[in-house]
Amino acid sequence: MKIRSLLLGVLCMLALSVSFSSCSDDEQSWDDSGSKIELPYVRAYFLNEGTMGQNNAGIAFYAPNKDKDFIGDIYKAQNKASLGDTGQDMIEYEDCIYVSVYGSNYLAKLNAACVEQARVSFIDDADLSAGVRSIAAHDGYIYASFYGGVVAKINANTLKVEKKLTGHGDNLEGVAICNDMLYVANAYKNEGVNYIYHTEVLVFDLNSFSFKETLTVASNPNKLTEDDDKAFLISWDYSAESYVLQMIDSKNNNKVTNLGYATHVAAENDKLYCVDSRVDYSSWPEVAAVNTFYTYDVKAGTKSSGSFLKNAPEELGTAVVYMIAVNDSNGDIYIGTTGHSDVNGDIYRFKNDGTYMEKFDCGGQNPNSAVFFN
């Protein structure tokens, strides 16, 4: 009997061990509930903005480890519906995907398999009806900018709009969060058929969710990116030779410093990956660009003297760049180019040392952002 009891005890311990092991494995997996497609653990998603008014925004799936075929619009495959009109912004937060769709004017929460979990429409909200733009996440909330001069605080779990700050600026664009402050680009306003470009970034205190101050920046501020408690701003200043890149130091009284020119940047490990893509539209729809790729060391405050790319295809030097993204897990660099409304864009992938790896069709028009699950 003692031997039998001992054997039973050992078997129970083995069963418990397997049980704990299974729980541990589950904790390392993503939430793929509702998925119609079996996906690998390592994944990348690209938001294809589409062309305004054509209802052709989408999200593409790519397997960096080559253990699954590319899917041009996984959102449609998983949800049996189109993403909508003009995919504006996409971020990853707490292992979920959040995407703002400007033309259709809603925010959606997706799980790691791109299955929609919740959405909130802003069409019937008088304050938010002008359209959602950029999004950022912090401490359980999604913060969104809107045309019409509104910033919204949205519960990241339920997507309930909990607070709104109205009457701040006109058409708001990029957002970034640094040091418990939300930075929002106040781009322009319309006076009839004329555009009046602003020179303002609005700063909000997230602890009290209240307006703090206005910073003076280059004309027509548009995109914001955060790294090392600093916000990096790209302004579409049409009076300058190219788009202006500036740094806002949240720990130095929000000091604004000019860094040069850039049309797109990605930040990772105290380094900005930048491209200055100067596009000639004079022969539209035939366009060509002259691209300069460089890095900016955020800690040292220095700019590289040459490109961060190695063995890049010659065509990338004149393609119109629409996106740069860096995988924070391994440092791989993804550069998206556009064919505008005529053809799908392309993605160029490089290793973290800049070595060229491959090029692939992005599955839609105008790839503008990426998220990675590693």
Side-chain angles (χ1 to χ4, degrees):
M1 292 294 292
K2 290 182 179 180
I3 294 174
R4 184 180 179 186
S5 298
L6 179 61
L7 286 172
L8 285 172
V10 170
L11 288 172
C12 287
M13 289 299 293
L14 286 171
L16 284 171
S17 175
V18 170
S19 175
F20 285 131
S21 175
S22 297
C23 289
S24 177
D25 289 342
D26 289 342
E27 289 173 358
Q28 297 303 311
S29 63
W30 309 117
D31 174 15
D32 286 356
S33 56
S35 180
K36 301 174 177 65
I37 305 165
E38 186 175 349
L39 298 174
Y41 181 77
V42 178
R43 330 170 171 180
Y45 296 101
F46 300 95
L47 175 62
N48 290 313
E49 181 179 302
T51 298
M52 186 176 294
Q54 294 189 13
N55 201 46
N56 60 348
I59 300 175
F61 164 82
Y62 167 75
N65 291 345
K66 305 299 184 182
D67 44 4
K68 183 71 177 180
D69 290 339
F70 181 85
I71 302 173
D73 192 347
I74 192 171
Y75 179 87
K76 181 177 285 187
Q78 295 282 42
N79 300 285
K80 303 303 179 185
S82 170
L83 186 63
D85 180 17
T86 316
Q88 190 65 35
D89 199 4
M90 181 173 68
I91 63 172
E92 181 273 328
Y93 179 63
E94 299 292 348
D95 298 339
C96 288
I97 301 168
Y98 294 83
V99 57
S100 62
V101 186
Y102 164 65
S104 300
N105 200 17
Y106 73 90
L107 174 70
K109 175 186 178 182
L110 318 175
N111 68 12
C114 222
V115 177
E116 186 168 314
Q117 307 293 291
R119 82 162 56 186
V120 55
S121 173
F122 308 112
I123 293 174
D124 296 327
D125 187 318
D127 293 326
L128 308 178
S129 61
V132 62
R133 301 300 286 175
S134 298
I135 52 177
H138 178 71
D139 199 20
Y141 291 93
I142 305 297
Y143 294 90
S145 64
F146 288 79
Y147 278 177
V150 186
V151 176
K153 180 179 181 179
I154 303 167
N155 186 295
N157 185 38
T158 65
L159 294 193
K160 178 184 177 182
V161 179
E162 296 199 355
K163 292 183 180 179
K164 295 179 286 187
L165 296 176
T166 61
H168 294 281
D170 292 293
N171 290 322
L172 306 182
E173 291 285 2
V175 298
I177 294 173
C178 307
N179 202 23
D180 291 334
M181 290 185 286
L182 176 69
Y183 296 80
V184 183
N186 182 26
Y188 68 93
K189 68 177 179 178
N190 297 99
E191 289 187 354
V193 297
N194 297 318
Y195 288 83
I196 308 300
Y197 297 110
H198 294 309
T199 56
E200 299 175 345
V201 163
L202 310 177
V203 185
F204 299 86
D205 184 333
L206 292 185
N207 292 318
S208 59
F209 195 52
S210 60
F211 175 73
K212 181 181 179 183
E213 62 179 318
T214 298
L215 308 178
T216 300
V217 297
S219 174
N220 196 11
N222 193 274
K223 298 179 180 179
L224 279 159
T225 303
E226 182 276 336
D227 189 69
D228 190 34
D229 284 327
K230 299 174 178 65
F232 295 90
L233 170 70
I234 294 175
S235 295
W236 296 4
D237 187 346
Y238 299 124
S239 67
E241 64 179 86
S242 187
Y243 293 175
V244 177
L245 175 63
Q246 295 178 301
M247 179 178 70
I248 303 169
D249 190 344
S250 70
K251 291 189 173 180
N252 188 16
N253 296 316
N254 286 325
K255 179 183 178 181
V256 180
T257 303
N258 290 340
L259 300 181
Y261 300 105
T263 48
H264 300 277
V265 301
E268 183 59 33
N269 283 335
D270 300 325
K271 182 184 290 186
L272 286 188
Y273 296 84
C274 310
V275 60
D276 181 8
S277 186
R278 305 193 182 192
V279 185
D280 180 4
Y281 291 103
S282 61
S283 299
W284 177 266
E286 297 296 325
V287 298
V290 177
N291 296 327
T292 302
F293 296 93
Y294 67 93
T295 58
Y296 177 79
D297 188 315
V298 177
K299 291 290 189 183
T302 56
K303 177 181 174 181
S304 67
S305 58
S307 174
F308 57 85
L309 303 179
K310 300 176 183 178
N311 306 317
E314 184 177 354
E315 70 206 47
L316 186 56
T318 57
V320 180
V321 176
Y322 215 73
M323 174 202 81
I324 296 181
V326 179
N327 185 332
D328 60 2
S329 176
N330 60 14
D332 282 0
I333 304 160
Y334 294 81
I335 298 174
T337 63
T338 178
H340 297 288
S341 59
D342 295 326
V343 296
N344 286 358
D346 292 312
I347 303 292
Y348 295 79
R349 181 184 177 188
F350 297 82
K351 292 181 180 179
N352 59 2
D353 65 356
T355 302
Y356 175 66
M357 297 181 69
E358 64 173 327
K359 166 191 172 183
F360 54 91
D361 185 302
C362 72
Q365 296 174 4
N366 306 319
N368 70 11
S369 49
V371 296
F372 304 96
F373 288 82
N374 301 282

